[in-house]
Amino acid sequence: QVQLVESGGGLVQAGGSLRLSCAASGTIFSINVMGWYRQAPGKQRELVATITSGGIRNYASSVKGRFTISTISRVNANNTVYLQMSSLKPEDTAVYYCYATYFGLANNYWGQGTQVTVSS
C-alpha cells in the first residue's frame, strides 16, 4: 500500500525559509510524478510544484523563483521529494500535501498534510 509521509512544516517569520520532505513507500511501481499542493483555510487545494520522473519541474506562478522542488530516487520507488521554500510570505500559509502518481497505478496518492504558517 502506497504511503506518503511528510515532514518539515512549522511556523516561520515572513522572509524565512522551510524545507518540506515527503517519503514515498509501499509499492514496486515506478514514480511518474511527485509534487506538492497546498490548501489555505476557505480556499481550494492548489498546485505548488511538481516534478516528473524525467526531471521536468512545474511551479505555480505565485511561488516561482522562491520555491524549489527536487527528488532523490531510491530502489523500489522509495523516492523522497523535497520542497525548499524561501522568501516566505504570509499568503504561503496553508496545509501542504505531498502528491504522487505511479506508472501502472490508476490512483493519485496523497500525504496527510503538514501545516506551514508564515507570520508577518
Side-chain angles (χ1 to χ4, degrees), residues 26-67:
T27 179
I28 61 171
F29 289 93
S30 298
I31 291 281
N32 181 12
V33 178
M34 290 192 81
W36 295 90
Y37 283 67
R38 67 186 181 188
Q39 188 166 18
K43 295 189 176 181
Q44 289 191 330
R45 191 173 296 190
E46 63 176 5
L47 179 144
V48 176
T50 59
I51 183 168
T52 71
S53 58
I56 298 172
R57 294 167 170 83
N58 182 43
Y59 295 95
S61 57
S62 60
V63 308
K64 203 171 290 186
R66 300 187 298 121
F67 291 10

Short mmCIF file of all heavy atoms in Angstrom, two decimals, residues 26-67:
data_model
loop_
_atom_site.label_atom_id
_atom_site.label_comp_id
_atom_site.label_asym_id
_atom_site.label_seq_id
_atom_site.Cartn_x
_atom_site.Cartn_y
_atom_site.Cartn_z
N GLY A 26 5.98 1.62 -0.22
CA GLY A 26 4.84 0.72 -0.23
C GLY A 26 4.47 0.11 -1.56
O GLY A 26 3.47 -0.61 -1.65
N THR A 27 5.25 0.37 -2.62
CA THR A 27 4.94 -0.23 -3.91
C THR A 27 6.22 -0.40 -4.71
O THR A 27 7.20 0.31 -4.49
CB THR A 27 3.96 0.65 -4.70
OG1 THR A 27 3.71 0.03 -5.97
CG2 THR A 27 4.51 2.04 -4.95
N ILE A 28 6.18 -1.37 -5.64
CA ILE A 28 7.34 -1.55 -6.53
C ILE A 28 7.16 -0.81 -7.85
O ILE A 28 8.07 -0.79 -8.68
CB ILE A 28 7.59 -3.04 -6.81
CG1 ILE A 28 6.37 -3.68 -7.52
CG2 ILE A 28 7.91 -3.78 -5.52
CD1 ILE A 28 6.63 -5.08 -8.01
N PHE A 29 5.97 -0.21 -8.05
CA PHE A 29 5.74 0.55 -9.27
C PHE A 29 6.59 1.82 -9.25
O PHE A 29 6.87 2.39 -8.20
CB PHE A 29 4.26 0.91 -9.41
CG PHE A 29 3.39 -0.27 -9.73
CD1 PHE A 29 2.77 -1.00 -8.74
CD2 PHE A 29 3.18 -0.65 -11.05
CE1 PHE A 29 1.97 -2.09 -9.02
CE2 PHE A 29 2.38 -1.74 -11.36
CZ PHE A 29 1.78 -2.47 -10.34
N SER A 30 6.97 2.27 -10.43
CA SER A 30 7.84 3.44 -10.54
C SER A 30 7.04 4.72 -10.45
O SER A 30 5.92 4.83 -10.95
CB SER A 30 8.58 3.41 -11.88
OG SER A 30 9.41 2.28 -11.96
N ILE A 31 7.67 5.70 -9.82
CA ILE A 31 7.07 7.03 -9.72
C ILE A 31 6.94 7.66 -11.11
O ILE A 31 7.87 7.59 -11.92
CB ILE A 31 7.92 7.93 -8.83
CG1 ILE A 31 7.86 7.48 -7.37
CG2 ILE A 31 7.52 9.39 -8.96
CD1 ILE A 31 6.63 7.90 -6.63
N ASN A 32 5.81 8.30 -11.35
CA ASN A 32 5.61 9.09 -12.56
C ASN A 32 5.80 10.57 -12.24
O ASN A 32 6.68 11.22 -12.80
CB ASN A 32 4.21 8.83 -13.12
CG ASN A 32 3.94 9.61 -14.40
OD1 ASN A 32 4.85 10.19 -15.00
ND2 ASN A 32 2.70 9.63 -14.83
N VAL A 33 5.01 11.07 -11.31
CA VAL A 33 5.10 12.48 -10.90
C VAL A 33 5.01 12.55 -9.38
O VAL A 33 4.23 11.81 -8.76
CB VAL A 33 3.94 13.31 -11.49
CG1 VAL A 33 4.01 14.76 -11.02
CG2 VAL A 33 3.95 13.24 -13.01
N MET A 34 5.80 13.41 -8.80
CA MET A 34 5.66 13.75 -7.38
C MET A 34 5.55 15.26 -7.26
O MET A 34 6.04 16.00 -8.14
CB MET A 34 6.84 13.27 -6.54
CG MET A 34 6.92 11.76 -6.39
SD MET A 34 8.09 11.25 -5.13
CE MET A 34 7.11 11.49 -3.64
N GLY A 35 4.92 15.70 -6.19
CA GLY A 35 4.80 17.14 -6.06
C GLY A 35 4.13 17.56 -4.78
O GLY A 35 3.94 16.75 -3.86
N TRP A 36 3.79 18.83 -4.75
CA TRP A 36 3.18 19.45 -3.58
C TRP A 36 1.99 20.31 -4.00
O TRP A 36 2.06 21.04 -4.99
CB TRP A 36 4.19 20.34 -2.86
CG TRP A 36 5.34 19.57 -2.29
CD1 TRP A 36 6.51 19.28 -2.90
CD2 TRP A 36 5.40 18.97 -0.99
NE1 TRP A 36 7.31 18.55 -2.06
CE2 TRP A 36 6.66 18.34 -0.88
CE3 TRP A 36 4.53 18.92 0.10
CZ2 TRP A 36 7.05 17.67 0.27
CZ3 TRP A 36 4.93 18.25 1.24
CH2 TRP A 36 6.17 17.63 1.32
N TYR A 37 0.94 20.17 -3.24
CA TYR A 37 -0.22 21.04 -3.33
C TYR A 37 -0.41 21.69 -1.97
O TYR A 37 0.16 21.23 -0.97
CB TYR A 37 -1.47 20.24 -3.69
CG TYR A 37 -1.56 19.85 -5.15
CD1 TYR A 37 -0.66 18.95 -5.72
CD2 TYR A 37 -2.54 20.40 -5.98
CE1 TYR A 37 -0.74 18.60 -7.05
CE2 TYR A 37 -2.63 20.05 -7.31
CZ TYR A 37 -1.72 19.15 -7.84
OH TYR A 37 -1.81 18.81 -9.17
N ARG A 38 -1.21 22.74 -1.92
CA ARG A 38 -1.50 23.37 -0.63
C ARG A 38 -2.95 23.83 -0.59
O ARG A 38 -3.57 24.08 -1.62
CB ARG A 38 -0.57 24.55 -0.37
CG ARG A 38 -0.75 25.74 -1.30
CD ARG A 38 0.33 26.79 -1.06
NE ARG A 38 0.17 27.96 -1.92
CZ ARG A 38 1.05 28.94 -2.00
NH1 ARG A 38 2.18 28.91 -1.27
NH2 ARG A 38 0.82 29.96 -2.80
N GLN A 39 -3.45 23.94 0.64
CA GLN A 39 -4.81 24.39 0.84
C GLN A 39 -4.86 25.32 2.03
O GLN A 39 -4.55 24.92 3.16
CB GLN A 39 -5.76 23.21 1.05
CG GLN A 39 -7.22 23.60 1.08
CD GLN A 39 -8.15 22.40 0.96
OE1 GLN A 39 -7.75 21.26 1.18
NE2 GLN A 39 -9.39 22.65 0.58
N ALA A 40 -5.22 26.56 1.76
CA ALA A 40 -5.39 27.56 2.81
C ALA A 40 -6.83 27.52 3.30
O ALA A 40 -7.73 27.07 2.57
CB ALA A 40 -5.03 28.94 2.27
N PRO A 41 -7.09 28.01 4.50
CA PRO A 41 -8.47 27.99 5.03
C PRO A 41 -9.43 28.71 4.10
O PRO A 41 -9.16 29.83 3.65
CB PRO A 41 -8.33 28.74 6.37
CG PRO A 41 -6.92 28.52 6.77
CD PRO A 41 -6.13 28.51 5.49
N GLY A 42 -10.54 28.05 3.79
CA GLY A 42 -11.56 28.65 2.94
C GLY A 42 -11.24 28.67 1.47
O GLY A 42 -12.00 29.25 0.68
N LYS A 43 -10.13 28.05 1.08
CA LYS A 43 -9.73 28.06 -0.33
C LYS A 43 -9.61 26.64 -0.85
O LYS A 43 -9.50 25.68 -0.08
CB LYS A 43 -8.41 28.80 -0.50
CG LYS A 43 -8.48 30.28 -0.18
CD LYS A 43 -7.21 30.99 -0.57
CE LYS A 43 -7.32 32.48 -0.33
NZ LYS A 43 -6.08 33.19 -0.75
N GLN A 44 -9.61 26.51 -2.17
CA GLN A 44 -9.42 25.21 -2.80
C GLN A 44 -7.96 24.80 -2.76
O GLN A 44 -7.06 25.64 -2.70
CB GLN A 44 -9.92 25.27 -4.25
CG GLN A 44 -11.43 25.38 -4.39
CD GLN A 44 -11.87 25.18 -5.82
OE1 GLN A 44 -11.15 25.50 -6.76
NE2 GLN A 44 -13.07 24.65 -5.99
N ARG A 45 -7.76 23.50 -2.82
CA ARG A 45 -6.40 22.99 -2.91
C ARG A 45 -5.80 23.42 -4.24
O ARG A 45 -6.45 23.33 -5.29
CB ARG A 45 -6.40 21.46 -2.78
CG ARG A 45 -5.02 20.86 -2.60
CD ARG A 45 -5.11 19.36 -2.31
NE ARG A 45 -5.79 19.09 -1.05
CZ ARG A 45 -5.82 17.87 -0.49
NH1 ARG A 45 -5.20 16.85 -1.07
NH2 ARG A 45 -6.47 17.69 0.64
N GLU A 46 -4.56 23.87 -4.21
CA GLU A 46 -3.91 24.36 -5.42
C GLU A 46 -2.52 23.76 -5.58
O GLU A 46 -1.85 23.43 -4.60
CB GLU A 46 -3.79 25.89 -5.39
CG GLU A 46 -2.93 26.44 -4.28
CD GLU A 46 -2.76 27.94 -4.33
OE1 GLU A 46 -3.39 28.61 -5.18
OE2 GLU A 46 -1.98 28.46 -3.50
N LEU A 47 -2.11 23.66 -6.83
CA LEU A 47 -0.78 23.14 -7.13
C LEU A 47 0.28 24.14 -6.67
O LEU A 47 0.13 25.35 -6.85
CB LEU A 47 -0.65 22.90 -8.63
CG LEU A 47 0.69 22.39 -9.15
CD1 LEU A 47 0.46 21.43 -10.31
CD2 LEU A 47 1.59 23.52 -9.59
N VAL A 48 1.35 23.58 -6.09
CA VAL A 48 2.50 24.40 -5.74
C VAL A 48 3.64 24.09 -6.71
O VAL A 48 4.17 24.97 -7.37
CB VAL A 48 2.95 24.13 -4.29
CG1 VAL A 48 4.22 24.93 -3.97
CG2 VAL A 48 1.83 24.47 -3.31
N ALA A 49 4.01 22.82 -6.78
CA ALA A 49 5.11 22.42 -7.67
C ALA A 49 5.05 20.93 -7.89
O ALA A 49 4.64 20.17 -7.00
CB ALA A 49 6.46 22.80 -7.07
N THR A 50 5.46 20.49 -9.07
CA THR A 50 5.56 19.08 -9.38
C THR A 50 6.87 18.81 -10.11
O THR A 50 7.47 19.72 -10.70
CB THR A 50 4.40 18.57 -10.25
OG1 THR A 50 4.39 19.32 -11.47
CG2 THR A 50 3.07 18.71 -9.54
N ILE A 51 7.28 17.55 -10.06
CA ILE A 51 8.47 17.12 -10.78
C ILE A 51 8.20 15.74 -11.34
O ILE A 51 7.68 14.86 -10.64
CB ILE A 51 9.73 17.15 -9.87
CG1 ILE A 51 10.98 16.78 -10.67
CG2 ILE A 51 9.56 16.28 -8.64
CD1 ILE A 51 12.29 17.08 -9.93
N THR A 52 8.54 15.54 -12.61
CA THR A 52 8.31 14.25 -13.24
C THR A 52 9.52 13.34 -13.05
O THR A 52 10.60 13.78 -12.63
CB THR A 52 8.05 14.41 -14.74
OG1 THR A 52 9.28 14.80 -15.38
CG2 THR A 52 6.98 15.45 -15.01
N SER A 53 9.34 12.08 -13.39
CA SER A 53 10.44 11.12 -13.30
C SER A 53 11.59 11.52 -14.22
O SER A 53 12.74 11.14 -13.98
CB SER A 53 9.96 9.72 -13.64
OG SER A 53 9.41 9.70 -14.94
N GLY A 54 11.29 12.30 -15.24
CA GLY A 54 12.32 12.78 -16.14
C GLY A 54 12.96 14.09 -15.70
O GLY A 54 13.81 14.63 -16.40
N GLY A 55 12.51 14.59 -14.55
CA GLY A 55 13.13 15.80 -14.00
C GLY A 55 12.51 17.10 -14.45
O GLY A 55 13.05 18.18 -14.18
N ILE A 56 11.36 17.04 -15.12
CA ILE A 56 10.70 18.26 -15.56
C ILE A 56 9.93 18.86 -14.39
O ILE A 56 9.11 18.19 -13.76
CB ILE A 56 9.75 17.99 -16.74
CG1 ILE A 56 10.56 17.47 -17.93
CG2 ILE A 56 8.99 19.25 -17.11
CD1 ILE A 56 9.72 16.99 -19.07
N ARG A 57 10.20 20.12 -14.11
CA ARG A 57 9.59 20.81 -12.98
C ARG A 57 8.52 21.79 -13.44
O ARG A 57 8.65 22.42 -14.50
CB ARG A 57 10.66 21.57 -12.19
CG ARG A 57 11.68 20.68 -11.50
CD ARG A 57 12.87 21.46 -11.01
NE ARG A 57 13.75 20.69 -10.16
CZ ARG A 57 14.68 19.87 -10.61
NH1 ARG A 57 14.85 19.71 -11.90
NH2 ARG A 57 15.44 19.20 -9.75
N ASN A 58 7.49 21.90 -12.63
CA ASN A 58 6.41 22.83 -12.90
C ASN A 58 6.09 23.55 -11.59
O ASN A 58 5.96 22.91 -10.55
CB ASN A 58 5.17 22.09 -13.41
CG ASN A 58 4.04 23.02 -13.73
OD1 ASN A 58 4.24 24.08 -14.32
ND2 ASN A 58 2.82 22.66 -13.35
N TYR A 59 5.97 24.89 -11.67
CA TYR A 59 5.70 25.68 -10.47
C TYR A 59 4.48 26.57 -10.68
O TYR A 59 4.25 27.08 -11.77
CB TYR A 59 6.88 26.59 -10.15
CG TYR A 59 8.15 25.88 -9.77
CD1 TYR A 59 9.14 25.62 -10.71
CD2 TYR A 59 8.37 25.48 -8.45
CE1 TYR A 59 10.31 24.97 -10.36
CE2 TYR A 59 9.55 24.84 -8.09
CZ TYR A 59 10.51 24.59 -9.05
OH TYR A 59 11.67 23.94 -8.68
N ALA A 60 3.75 26.79 -9.60
CA ALA A 60 2.73 27.83 -9.63
C ALA A 60 3.42 29.17 -9.77
O ALA A 60 4.52 29.38 -9.25
CB ALA A 60 1.91 27.80 -8.33
N SER A 61 2.78 30.09 -10.47
CA SER A 61 3.40 31.39 -10.70
C SER A 61 3.67 32.13 -9.39
O SER A 61 4.63 32.90 -9.28
CB SER A 61 2.52 32.24 -11.61
OG SER A 61 1.23 32.40 -11.06
N SER A 62 2.84 31.86 -8.39
CA SER A 62 2.97 32.57 -7.11
C SER A 62 4.21 32.15 -6.33
O SER A 62 4.62 32.86 -5.40
CB SER A 62 1.72 32.33 -6.25
OG SER A 62 1.55 30.95 -6.00
N VAL A 63 4.83 31.01 -6.67
CA VAL A 63 5.99 30.53 -5.93
C VAL A 63 7.25 30.47 -6.78
O VAL A 63 8.34 30.22 -6.25
CB VAL A 63 5.73 29.14 -5.30
CG1 VAL A 63 4.45 29.16 -4.48
CG2 VAL A 63 5.70 28.04 -6.34
N LYS A 64 7.11 30.72 -8.06
CA LYS A 64 8.25 30.61 -8.95
C LYS A 64 9.34 31.59 -8.52
O LYS A 64 9.07 32.76 -8.24
CB LYS A 64 7.81 30.91 -10.39
CG LYS A 64 8.71 30.32 -11.47
CD LYS A 64 8.09 30.45 -12.85
CE LYS A 64 6.89 29.55 -13.02
NZ LYS A 64 6.35 29.57 -14.39
N GLY A 65 10.56 31.07 -8.46
CA GLY A 65 11.68 31.90 -8.03
C GLY A 65 11.91 31.88 -6.53
O GLY A 65 12.96 32.34 -6.06
N ARG A 66 10.94 31.37 -5.78
CA ARG A 66 11.09 31.32 -4.32
C ARG A 66 11.16 29.88 -3.82
O ARG A 66 11.81 29.60 -2.81
CB ARG A 66 9.92 32.04 -3.64
CG ARG A 66 9.79 33.49 -4.01
CD ARG A 66 8.72 34.18 -3.16
NE ARG A 66 7.39 33.62 -3.35
CZ ARG A 66 6.64 33.08 -2.40
NH1 ARG A 66 7.09 33.01 -1.16
NH2 ARG A 66 5.42 32.63 -2.67
N PHE A 67 10.47 28.97 -4.49
CA PHE A 67 10.42 27.57 -4.08
C PHE A 67 11.18 26.72 -5.09
O PHE A 67 11.17 27.00 -6.29
CB PHE A 67 8.97 27.07 -4.03
CG PHE A 67 8.12 27.66 -2.93
CD1 PHE A 67 8.55 28.73 -2.17
CD2 PHE A 67 6.86 27.13 -2.67
CE1 PHE A 67 7.75 29.27 -1.16
CE2 PHE A 67 6.05 27.65 -1.68
CZ PHE A 67 6.50 28.73 -0.94
#
